[in-house]
Amino acid sequence: SNLCLEARATPTKTGTRYGLLADGISQLASLQLGDEDEHRRQALTSFVSRYVGEEHRDEVTLFLGEAIGLPFTPTTLRWSESLAQRMSALRVARNEPQVMREKILEAVSRLMEEAGKEGLVSVIFEDLQWADEESLQLLGTLAGRLEASPIFFIGTCRPELLAREIPFVEAIRNRVTLGPLDERALSRPLRAVLGRIAERHEQLMLDWCDGNPYFAEELVSWMVARKLMVFGKEGWQLIDEGAAADLPAGIEGAIQGRLDRLEHKEKEVLK
């Protein structure tokens, strides 16, 4: 792939405007957290220059900077008549949210379109159910706008996102639904965590997990922490055949149960 824009959405950035896009662009342009802003601006400018021609380079750089929280000012750029015009447009956009959205959309679209002239462009975003609204809106519009370019969009999400009536969902062309793992596949993460486990007790845990591999891992950690499992001749075994286990309702319950057992100081650190 000539250019691969990828990132993973997180619950902590759901309310951050263009948070998902910012993570993807920052990774592509090698923008390091902790670096001085001037160094990061130079890295962004250099990145855009690799794909976008001189005519549109300044505008794309300026509005990508706005999207990712790295604003440019006249003092951070070399002056030119063209740049002066771009800065004027930027000042207008900063006071008009709709204009800013359009300009950021144009900047990302221009970047991908220009990069697509040299080869395939891949856009890969994970956990889109946690993506911010601005990034989702942008992706939904881009998918239709760039149909003629060699751009491959792929995303992963939970079903709740697909139930929403938003342009992004309407723009999805193909869906692949992942169902629960079968018992043979689900036993792999169990054995990866525990090593050896008594066969009859493994079957009990497989039944409890209902095909969810992440719940399987969390359930094991939850049970070991509560000393509901012990290691014996047959490997790990459930105490009293699991009768003493007051199972958590789901993944969140398993994680919360582990957090509840932490000391007060440890809980404060996690907060």
Side-chain angles (χ1 to χ4, degrees):
S1 179
N2 175 48
L3 182 151
C4 183
L5 179 66
E6 57 182 323
R8 181 190 298 272
T10 62
T12 57
K13 289 191 175 182
T14 299
T16 302
R17 297 178 67 249
Y18 296 106
L20 181 61
L21 174 67
D23 286 347
I25 294 294
S26 296
Q27 182 176 326
L28 263 181
S30 300
L31 307 184
Q32 302 297 326
L33 287 176
D35 285 353
E36 294 183 359
D37 282 352
E38 183 56 32
H39 179 76
R40 299 174 74 229
R41 289 189 185 97
Q42 291 174 2
L44 179 61
T45 301
S46 176
F47 163 69
V48 172
S49 297
R50 294 204 300 268
Y51 299 100
V52 181
E54 187 175 354
E55 180 182 358
H56 300 287
R57 187 176 300 159
D58 288 340
E59 185 171 25
V60 171
T61 303
L62 289 175
F63 285 100
L64 281 183
E66 291 293 309
I68 69 175
L70 190 63
F72 287 79
T73 65
T75 59
T76 61
L77 294 162
R78 292 182 60 183
W79 189 91
S80 68
E81 185 174 344
S82 172
L83 179 60
Q85 295 174 352
R86 307 298 189 195
M87 291 300 299
S88 177
L90 178 59
R91 283 192 293 271
V92 171
R94 283 173 174 169
N95 293 315
E96 298 289 343
Q98 182 58 39
V99 174
M100 180 62 79
R101 282 193 290 271
E102 287 295 327
K103 288 295 187 180
I104 290 174
L105 173 62
E106 289 177 11
V108 178
S109 178
R110 177 78 63 183
L111 171 67
M112 293 187 178
E113 194 171 24
E114 293 296 316
K117 294 177 180 179
E118 300 179 16
L120 177 67
V121 173
S122 301
V123 180
I124 305 172
F125 287 141
E126 299 181 66
D127 290 332
L128 284 168
Q129 72 278 356
W130 289 322
D132 60 277
E133 292 297 327
E134 289 77 11
S135 292
L136 284 177
Q137 184 177 20
L138 182 143
L139 286 171
T141 306
L142 281 178
R145 178 174 291 197
L146 299 174
E147 282 186 323
S149 299
I151 299 177
F152 177 67
F153 291 89
I154 185 170
T156 66
C157 70
R158 294 179 182 175
E160 55 262 33
L161 176 65
L162 302 178
R164 296 174 58 186
E165 295 182 0
I166 56 177
F168 171 78
V169 174
E170 296 171 0
I172 297 174
R173 298 299 176 84
N174 298 289
R175 299 184 186 183
V176 177
T177 302
L178 301 180
L181 296 181
D182 59 32
E183 291 187 353
R184 181 178 179 182
L186 188 57
S187 67
R188 293 173 187 166
L190 278 179
R191 295 178 183 179
V193 174
L194 292 173
R196 195 157 54 95
I197 180 173
E199 185 175 345
R200 64 185 184 282
H201 294 164
E202 179 182 23
Q203 185 59 53
L204 277 174
M205 298 189 74
L206 291 173
D207 293 341
W208 289 338
C209 295
D210 196 27
N212 188 323
Y214 185 52
F215 185 38
E217 295 180 4
E218 288 299 326
L219 182 63
V220 167
S221 299
W222 179 85
M223 299 191 78
V224 171
R226 278 168 168 68
K227 296 182 172 56
L228 296 174
M229 299 186 74
V230 294
F231 193 80
K233 294 181 179 179
E234 299 178 68
W236 285 95
Q237 302 175 45
L238 299 170
I239 294 178
D240 296 329
E241 302 295 318
D246 184 14
L247 294 178
I251 293 174
E252 291 184 4
I255 295 175
Q256 187 61 53
R258 293 170 62 190
L259 294 176
D260 289 343
R261 297 180 64 84
L262 296 177
E263 297 294 333
H264 176 73
K265 290 182 179 179
E266 294 172 325
K267 291 179 181 178
E268 288 300 312
V269 170
L270 288 175
K271 288 181 181 179

